[in-house]
CSV table of all heavy atoms in Angstrom, one decimal:
chain,number,residue,atom,x,y,z
A,1029,SER,N,-9.9,36.4,-14.6
A,1029,SER,CA,-10.3,36.4,-13.2
A,1029,SER,C,-11.7,36.9,-13.1
A,1029,SER,O,-12.4,36.9,-14.1
A,1029,SER,CB,-9.3,37.4,-12.4
A,1029,SER,OG,-9.6,37.3,-11.0
A,1030,ALA,N,-12.2,37.3,-11.9
A,1030,ALA,CA,-13.5,37.7,-11.8
A,1030,ALA,C,-13.7,38.6,-10.6
A,1030,ALA,O,-13.0,38.4,-9.6
A,1030,ALA,CB,-14.5,36.5,-11.7
A,1031,LEU,N,-14.6,39.5,-10.7
A,1031,LEU,CA,-15.1,40.2,-9.5
A,1031,LEU,C,-16.5,39.7,-9.2
A,1031,LEU,O,-17.4,39.7,-10.0
A,1031,LEU,CB,-15.2,41.7,-9.8
A,1031,LEU,CG,-15.9,42.6,-8.7
A,1031,LEU,CD1,-15.3,42.4,-7.3
A,1031,LEU,CD2,-15.9,44.1,-9.1
A,1061,GLU,N,-10.7,43.9,-23.4
A,1061,GLU,CA,-10.2,44.5,-22.1
A,1061,GLU,C,-9.8,43.4,-21.2
A,1061,GLU,O,-9.2,43.6,-20.2
A,1061,GLU,CB,-11.3,45.4,-21.5
A,1061,GLU,CG,-11.5,46.7,-22.3
A,1061,GLU,CD,-12.8,47.4,-22.0
A,1061,GLU,OE1,-13.7,46.8,-21.5
A,1061,GLU,OE2,-12.8,48.6,-22.2
A,1066,PRO,N,-5.3,44.4,-21.4
A,1066,PRO,CA,-5.9,44.2,-20.0
A,1066,PRO,C,-6.1,45.5,-19.2
A,1066,PRO,O,-5.2,46.3,-19.1
A,1066,PRO,CB,-4.9,43.3,-19.4
A,1066,PRO,CG,-4.2,42.6,-20.5
A,1066,PRO,CD,-4.1,43.6,-21.6
A,1067,LYS,N,-7.4,45.7,-18.8
A,1067,LYS,CA,-7.7,46.8,-18.0
A,1067,LYS,C,-9.0,46.6,-17.3
A,1067,LYS,O,-9.8,45.6,-17.7
A,1067,LYS,CB,-7.8,48.1,-18.8
A,1067,LYS,CG,-8.8,48.0,-20.0
A,1067,LYS,CD,-8.9,49.4,-20.7
A,1067,LYS,CE,-9.9,50.3,-19.9
A,1067,LYS,NZ,-10.4,51.4,-20.7
A,1068,TRP,N,-9.4,47.4,-16.3
A,1068,TRP,CA,-10.7,47.3,-15.8
A,1068,TRP,C,-11.7,47.7,-16.9
A,1068,TRP,O,-11.5,48.8,-17.5
A,1068,TRP,CB,-10.9,48.2,-14.5
A,1068,TRP,CG,-10.3,47.6,-13.3
A,1068,TRP,CD1,-9.0,47.7,-12.9
A,1068,TRP,CD2,-11.0,46.7,-12.4
A,1068,TRP,NE1,-8.9,46.9,-11.7
A,1068,TRP,CE2,-10.1,46.3,-11.4
A,1068,TRP,CE3,-12.3,46.3,-12.3
A,1068,TRP,CZ2,-10.4,45.5,-10.3
A,1068,TRP,CZ3,-12.7,45.5,-11.2
A,1068,TRP,CH2,-11.7,45.1,-10.3
A,1069,PRO,N,-12.7,46.9,-17.2
A,1069,PRO,CA,-13.6,47.2,-18.3
A,1069,PRO,C,-14.4,48.5,-18.1
A,1069,PRO,O,-14.9,48.8,-17.0
A,1069,PRO,CB,-14.5,46.0,-18.4
A,1069,PRO,CG,-14.5,45.4,-17.0
A,1069,PRO,CD,-13.1,45.7,-16.4
A,1100,LEU,N,-12.9,39.5,-15.6
A,1100,LEU,CA,-11.8,40.5,-15.6
A,1100,LEU,C,-10.5,39.8,-16.1
A,1100,LEU,O,-10.3,38.6,-16.0
A,1100,LEU,CB,-11.5,41.0,-14.2
A,1100,LEU,CG,-12.6,41.7,-13.4
A,1100,LEU,CD1,-12.1,41.9,-12.0
A,1100,LEU,CD2,-13.0,43.0,-14.0
A,1101,ALA,N,-9.6,40.7,-16.6
A,1101,ALA,CA,-8.3,40.2,-16.9
A,1101,ALA,C,-7.6,39.9,-15.6
A,1101,ALA,O,-7.8,40.5,-14.6
A,1101,ALA,CB,-7.5,41.4,-17.6
A,1102,PRO,N,-6.8,38.8,-15.6
A,1102,PRO,CA,-6.1,38.4,-14.4
A,1102,PRO,C,-5.0,39.5,-14.1
A,1102,PRO,O,-4.5,40.1,-15.1
A,1102,PRO,CB,-5.5,37.1,-14.6
A,1102,PRO,CG,-5.5,36.9,-16.1
A,1102,PRO,CD,-6.6,37.8,-16.6
A,1103,GLY,N,-4.6,39.6,-12.9
A,1103,GLY,CA,-3.4,40.5,-12.5
A,1103,GLY,C,-3.7,42.0,-12.4
A,1103,GLY,O,-2.8,42.8,-12.3
A,1104,LEU,N,-5.0,42.4,-12.5
A,1104,LEU,CA,-5.4,43.8,-12.3
A,1104,LEU,C,-5.2,44.2,-10.9
A,1104,LEU,O,-5.3,43.5,-10.0
A,1104,LEU,CB,-6.8,44.0,-12.7
A,1104,LEU,CG,-7.2,43.7,-14.2
A,1104,LEU,CD1,-8.7,44.0,-14.4
A,1104,LEU,CD2,-6.4,44.6,-15.2
A,1105,ASP,N,-5.0,45.6,-10.7
A,1105,ASP,CA,-5.0,46.1,-9.4
A,1105,ASP,C,-6.3,46.0,-8.8
A,1105,ASP,O,-7.3,46.4,-9.4
A,1105,ASP,CB,-4.6,47.6,-9.4
A,1105,ASP,CG,-3.1,47.8,-9.7
A,1105,ASP,OD1,-2.3,46.9,-9.4
A,1105,ASP,OD2,-2.7,48.9,-10.2
A,1106,ASP,N,-6.4,45.5,-7.6
A,1106,ASP,CA,-7.7,45.2,-6.9
A,1106,ASP,C,-7.7,45.9,-5.6
A,1106,ASP,O,-7.1,45.6,-4.6
A,1106,ASP,CB,-7.7,43.7,-6.7
A,1106,ASP,CG,-8.9,43.2,-5.9
A,1106,ASP,OD1,-9.9,44.0,-5.7
A,1106,ASP,OD2,-8.9,42.1,-5.4
A,1107,ILE,N,-8.5,47.0,-5.5
A,1107,ILE,CA,-8.7,47.8,-4.3
A,1107,ILE,C,-10.2,47.9,-4.0
A,1107,ILE,O,-11.0,47.9,-4.9
A,1107,ILE,CB,-8.0,49.1,-4.4
A,1107,ILE,CG1,-8.5,50.0,-5.6
A,1107,ILE,CG2,-6.5,49.0,-4.5
A,1107,ILE,CD1,-8.0,51.4,-5.6
A,1108,PRO,N,-10.5,48.1,-2.7
A,1108,PRO,CA,-11.9,48.2,-2.3
A,1108,PRO,C,-12.7,49.2,-3.0
A,1108,PRO,O,-13.9,49.0,-3.4
A,1108,PRO,CB,-11.8,48.5,-0.8
A,1108,PRO,CG,-10.5,48.0,-0.4
A,1108,PRO,CD,-9.6,48.2,-1.5
A,1109,GLU,N,-12.1,50.4,-3.3
A,1109,GLU,CA,-12.8,51.5,-4.0
A,1109,GLU,C,-13.3,51.1,-5.4
A,1109,GLU,O,-14.4,51.4,-5.8
A,1109,GLU,CB,-11.9,52.7,-4.1
A,1109,GLU,CG,-11.6,53.4,-2.8
A,1109,GLU,CD,-10.5,52.7,-2.0
A,1109,GLU,OE1,-9.9,51.8,-2.5
A,1109,GLU,OE2,-10.3,53.1,-0.8
A,1110,ILE,N,-12.4,50.3,-6.1
A,1110,ILE,CA,-12.8,49.8,-7.5
A,1110,ILE,C,-13.9,48.8,-7.4
A,1110,ILE,O,-14.9,48.9,-8.1
A,1110,ILE,CB,-11.6,49.2,-8.2
A,1110,ILE,CG1,-10.5,50.3,-8.5
A,1110,ILE,CG2,-12.0,48.6,-9.5
A,1110,ILE,CD1,-9.3,49.8,-9.3
A,1111,ARG,N,-13.8,47.9,-6.4
A,1111,ARG,CA,-14.9,46.9,-6.2
A,1111,ARG,C,-16.3,47.7,-6.0
A,1111,ARG,O,-17.3,47.3,-6.6
A,1111,ARG,CB,-14.6,46.0,-5.0
A,1111,ARG,CG,-13.4,45.1,-5.2
A,1111,ARG,CD,-13.3,44.1,-4.0
A,1111,ARG,NE,-12.1,43.4,-4.0
A,1111,ARG,CZ,-11.9,42.3,-3.3
A,1111,ARG,NH1,-12.8,41.8,-2.6
A,1111,ARG,NH2,-10.7,41.7,-3.4
A,1112,GLU,N,-16.2,48.7,-5.2
A,1112,GLU,CA,-17.5,49.4,-4.9
A,1112,GLU,C,-18.0,50.2,-6.1
A,1112,GLU,O,-19.2,50.2,-6.4
A,1112,GLU,CB,-17.2,50.5,-3.7
A,1112,GLU,CG,-18.4,51.1,-3.1
A,1112,GLU,CD,-19.3,50.1,-2.5
A,1112,GLU,OE1,-18.9,49.0,-1.9
A,1112,GLU,OE2,-20.6,50.3,-2.6
A,1113,GLU,N,-17.1,50.7,-6.9
A,1113,GLU,CA,-17.4,51.4,-8.1
A,1113,GLU,C,-18.2,50.5,-9.1
A,1113,GLU,O,-19.2,50.9,-9.7
A,1113,GLU,CB,-16.2,52.0,-8.8
A,1113,GLU,CG,-16.4,52.7,-10.1
A,1113,GLU,CD,-15.1,52.9,-10.8
A,1113,GLU,OE1,-14.0,53.1,-10.2
A,1113,GLU,OE2,-15.1,53.0,-12.1
A,1114,TYR,N,-17.6,49.3,-9.2
A,1114,TYR,CA,-18.2,48.3,-10.1
A,1114,TYR,C,-19.5,47.7,-9.6
A,1114,TYR,O,-20.4,47.4,-10.4
A,1114,TYR,CB,-17.2,47.2,-10.5
A,1114,TYR,CG,-16.4,47.7,-11.6
A,1114,TYR,CD1,-15.2,48.5,-11.4
A,1114,TYR,CD2,-16.7,47.4,-13.0
A,1114,TYR,CE1,-14.5,49.0,-12.4
A,1114,TYR,CE2,-15.9,47.9,-14.0
A,1114,TYR,CZ,-14.8,48.7,-13.7
A,1114,TYR,OH,-14.1,49.2,-14.7
A,1141,CYS,N,-12.3,39.0,-5.3
A,1141,CYS,CA,-11.7,39.4,-6.5
A,1141,CYS,C,-10.3,38.9,-6.6
A,1141,CYS,O,-9.9,38.0,-5.9
A,1141,CYS,CB,-11.8,40.9,-6.6
A,1141,CYS,SG,-11.6,41.6,-8.3
A,1142,VAL,N,-9.5,39.6,-7.5
A,1142,VAL,CA,-8.2,39.1,-7.8
A,1142,VAL,C,-7.3,38.8,-6.6
A,1142,VAL,O,-6.7,37.7,-6.5
A,1142,VAL,CB,-7.4,40.2,-8.7
A,1142,VAL,CG1,-6.0,39.8,-8.9
A,1142,VAL,CG2,-8.1,40.3,-10.0
A,1143,ASN,N,-7.3,39.7,-5.6
A,1143,ASN,CA,-6.5,39.5,-4.4
A,1143,ASN,C,-6.9,38.3,-3.6
A,1143,ASN,O,-6.1,37.6,-3.0
A,1143,ASN,CB,-6.5,40.7,-3.5
A,1143,ASN,CG,-5.8,41.9,-4.1
A,1143,ASN,OD1,-5.1,41.8,-5.1
A,1143,ASN,ND2,-6.0,43.1,-3.5
A,1144,ASP,N,-8.2,38.0,-3.6
A,1144,ASP,CA,-8.7,36.9,-2.9
A,1144,ASP,C,-8.4,35.6,-3.6
A,1144,ASP,O,-8.1,34.5,-2.9
A,1144,ASP,CB,-10.2,37.0,-2.7
A,1144,ASP,CG,-10.6,38.3,-2.0
A,1144,ASP,OD1,-10.2,38.5,-0.9
A,1144,ASP,OD2,-11.4,39.1,-2.6
A,1146,VAL,N,-5.7,35.1,-5.2
A,1146,VAL,CA,-4.3,34.8,-4.9
A,1146,VAL,C,-4.2,34.3,-3.5
A,1146,VAL,O,-3.5,33.3,-3.2
A,1146,VAL,CB,-3.5,36.1,-5.1
A,1146,VAL,CG1,-2.1,35.9,-4.6
A,1146,VAL,CG2,-3.5,36.5,-6.6
A,1153,LYS,N,-1.7,35.2,-10.8
A,1153,LYS,CA,-2.3,36.4,-11.2
A,1153,LYS,C,-3.7,36.6,-10.8
A,1153,LYS,O,-4.5,37.4,-11.3
A,1153,LYS,CB,-2.1,36.7,-12.7
A,1153,LYS,CG,-0.7,36.9,-13.1
A,1153,LYS,CD,-0.6,37.3,-14.6
A,1153,LYS,CE,0.8,37.6,-15.0
A,1153,LYS,NZ,0.9,38.0,-16.5
A,1154,GLY,N,-4.2,35.7,-9.9
A,1154,GLY,CA,-5.6,35.8,-9.5
A,1154,GLY,C,-6.6,35.3,-10.5
A,1154,GLY,O,-7.7,35.6,-10.5
Side-chain angles (χ1 to χ4, degrees):
S1029 185
L1031 170 55
E1061 290 165 338
K1067 58 172 279 198
W1068 280 89
L1100 300 172
L1104 296 180
D1105 286 337
D1106 170 19
I1107 57 173
E1109 292 79 6
I1110 293 181
R1111 297 189 189 194
E1112 193 60 34
E1113 176 192 335
Y1114 276 81
C1141 197
V1142 173
N1143 292 349
D1144 303 301
V1146 173
K1153 292 188 177 179

